[in-house]
């Protein structure tokens, strides 16, 4: 690769940093490696280890997606000890440019570039090219972003959409809200659509049914619900899908997301067939007078294992 067309991309979480090279002329990615953040005192140490392992490639531009705010030059990770100046890091590594973006910005930037092998459609029609896109991702919390196109450039619109009020639709939702209102001053959607949210929904539904909440782990609840071995867990996962449908449908309405509404994160790809058989899509479309509006918006699940790297590459290629 010619020197001026070689970039480095990275996706940094609280535990691991994943790095890869990208040919900025073609978008081809190579040399994917993963390192434990805890093994390196600074992010520069981790990057230099990667460059050594990759044979000292002549990188000139870089984009790092990281799980913390990226609005200022000083970056301080929320779930790890790394803290650094973007300008100083760029100077130390001798790069022409270094971009720091939020991890969910990177995920949203990946969406227009996913192939059919990197996503699964769950209802709706064909996505409209160039139209706004929405994405949400239940995980440790609930990430949310929108993506819009302007002059052939994609721009991510980040925010804190996971913390909007939870709006109950049916009797089960109402009981969950009442149950969680005893625990929280403000019940956000994140209190339901996340790993901890699955546990809290399970506890609320067990309370509603007058049964003991025997599970304390989201993975156990998910498994017991999906395989049908526990009626309360199964109802929990069914309700989890319904709430996702209502919330995803709201995101679709916000910006007319005819480019699709995507579910990202590590939870939902584990039970796509269960999701397809659930009332997710019905609740997505159940918007009264705007039912037909949402019926024209497709929904997807992201199955690509490294959407942060795909998005970081897409972001970087727009800047050179």
């Amino acid at each position: 690769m010619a020197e001026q067309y070689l970039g480095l991309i990275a996706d940094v979480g609280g535990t691991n940093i994943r790095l890869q090279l990208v040919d900025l002329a073609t978008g081809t990615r190579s040399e994917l490696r993963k390192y434990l953040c805890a093994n390196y005192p600074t992010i520069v140490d981790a990057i230099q280890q990667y460059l050594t392992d990759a044979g000292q490639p002549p990188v000139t531009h870089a984009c790092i997606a990281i799980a913390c705010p990226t609005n200022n030059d000083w970056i301080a990770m929320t779930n790890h000890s790394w803290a650094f100046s973007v300008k100083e890091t760029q100077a130390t590594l001798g790069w022409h440019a270094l971009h720091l973006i939020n991890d969910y910005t990177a995920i949203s930037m990946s969406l227009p570039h996913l192939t059919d092998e990197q996503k699964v459609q769950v209802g709706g029609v064909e996505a409209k090219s160039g139209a706004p896109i929405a994405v949400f991702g239940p995980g440790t919390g609930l990430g949310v972003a929108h993506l819009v196109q302007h002059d052939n450039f994609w721009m991510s619109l980040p925010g804190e959409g996971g913390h909007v009020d939870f709006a109950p639709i049916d009797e089960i939702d109402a009981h969950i809200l009442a149950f969680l209102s005893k625990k929280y001053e403000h019940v956000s959607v994140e209190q339901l659509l996340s790993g901890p949210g699955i546990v809290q929904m399970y506890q609320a539904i067990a309370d509603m049914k007058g049964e003991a909440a025997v599970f304390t782990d989201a993975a156990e609840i998910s498994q017991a619900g999906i395989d049908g071995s526990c009626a309360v867990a199964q109802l929990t996962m069914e309700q989890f899908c319904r709430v996702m449908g209502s919330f995803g449908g709201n995101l679709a309405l916000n910006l007319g997301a005819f480019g699709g509404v995507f579910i990202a994160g590590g939870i939902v790809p584990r039970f796509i067939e269960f999701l397809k058989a659930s009332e997710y899509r019905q609740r997505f479309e159940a918007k009264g007078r705007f039912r037909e509006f949402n019926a024209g918006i497709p929904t997807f699940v992201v199955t690509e294992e490294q959407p942060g790297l795909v998005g970081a590459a897409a972001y970087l290629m727009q800047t050179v």
Side-chain angles (χ1 to χ4, degrees), residues 31 33 49-58:
E31 299 288 344
R33 287 180 168 83
Q49 181 65 59
Y50 171 79
L51 293 173
T52 297
D53 293 344
Q56 296 297 340

Side-chain angles (χ1 to χ4, degrees), residues 118-142:
Q118 296 167 305
K119 62 187 178 186
V120 173
Q121 186 161 356
V122 185
V125 297
E126 184 176 353
K128 183 178 178 181
S129 178
I133 296 170
V135 59
F136 66 101
T140 304
L142 177 61

Side-chain angles (χ1 to χ4, degrees), residues 120-123 136 226 237-238 240-245 263 268-282 299-302:
V120 173
Q121 186 161 356
V122 185
F136 66 101
I226 292 162
M237 296 311 296
E238 289 170 351
F240 184 82
C241 293
R242 293 186 188 106
V243 175
M244 282 200 300
I263 302 175
V268 180
R270 301 172 187 171
F271 55 87
I272 293 176
E273 293 306 314
F274 186 92
L275 179 70
K276 288 180 177 179
S278 75
E279 295 179 16
Y280 168 74
R281 185 68 198 188
Q282 290 93 314
T299 47
F300 302 88
V301 176
V302 176

Side-chain angles (χ1 to χ4, degrees), residues 38-311:
N39 288 347
Y40 301 91
T42 70
I43 192 170
V44 170
D45 293 315
I47 292 171
Q48 288 177 331
Q49 181 65 59
Y50 171 79
L51 293 173
T52 297
D53 293 344
Q56 296 297 340
V59 170
T60 58
H61 297 71
C63 179
I64 297 174
I66 192 164
C68 65
T70 57
N71 299 328
N72 302 307
D73 176 70
W74 186 254
I75 305 295
M77 291 189 66
T78 306
N79 298 313
H80 188 60
S81 60
W82 285 351
F84 55 94
S85 160
V86 177
K87 291 180 180 178
E88 290 180 5
T89 299
Q90 178 183 336
T92 299
L93 293 167
W95 291 335
H96 297 333
L98 170 59
H99 304 275
L100 267 287
I101 61 176
N102 179 263
D103 59 336
Y104 231 80
T105 297
I107 289 173
S108 66
M109 287 293 295
S110 76
L111 303 177
H113 306 281
L114 298 180
T115 66
D116 289 342
E117 288 70 40
Q118 296 167 305
K119 62 187 178 186
V120 173
Q121 186 161 356
V122 185
V125 297
E126 184 176 353
K128 183 178 178 181
S129 178
I133 296 170
V135 59
F136 66 101
T140 304
L142 177 61
V144 177
H146 281 84
L147 199 68
V148 296
Q149 191 178 57
H150 178 67
D151 288 341
N152 293 320
F153 282 83
W154 285 102
M155 296 181 293
S156 180
L157 307 177
E160 294 296 341
H163 298 283
V164 300
D165 300 334
F166 167 57
I169 303 298
D170 61 15
E171 181 181 351
I172 300 176
D173 283 346
H175 188 89
I176 293 169
L177 177 60
F179 183 88
L180 293 180
S181 292
K182 298 174 185 177
K183 185 177 181 180
Y184 302 106
E185 179 182 354
H186 173 240
V187 180
S188 68
V189 182
E190 184 178 79
Q191 298 297 349
L192 289 85
L193 299 185
S194 60
I198 289 175
V199 177
Q200 296 189 137
M201 289 180 69
Y202 167 74
Q203 293 169 341
I205 291 173
D207 177 78
M208 183 181 72
K209 295 293 186 181
E211 299 188 17
V214 297
F215 296 116
T216 59
D217 179 74
E220 292 178 341
I221 296 165
S222 300
Q223 184 59 48
I226 292 162
D227 65 24
S229 60
C230 172
V232 173
Q234 182 174 344
L235 182 54
T236 298
M237 296 311 296
E238 289 170 351
Q239 200 67 18
F240 184 82
C241 293
R242 293 186 188 106
V243 175
M244 282 200 300
S246 294
F247 181 68
N250 289 344
L251 294 182
L253 291 172
N254 286 338
L255 286 179
F258 287 93
V261 175
F262 290 74
I263 302 175
I267 294 177
V268 180
R270 301 172 187 171
F271 55 87
I272 293 176
E273 293 306 314
F274 186 92
L275 179 70
K276 288 180 177 179
S278 75
E279 295 179 16
Y280 168 74
R281 185 68 198 188
Q282 290 93 314
R283 286 272 287 254
F284 180 90
E285 296 180 8
K287 300 301 179 185
R289 291 178 297 151
F290 279 79
R291 178 182 297 273
E292 290 303 315
F293 184 91
N294 271 21
I297 294 177
T299 47
F300 302 88
V301 176
V302 176
T303 54
E304 163 60 39
E305 293 184 1
Q306 305 294 342
L309 291 175
V310 175

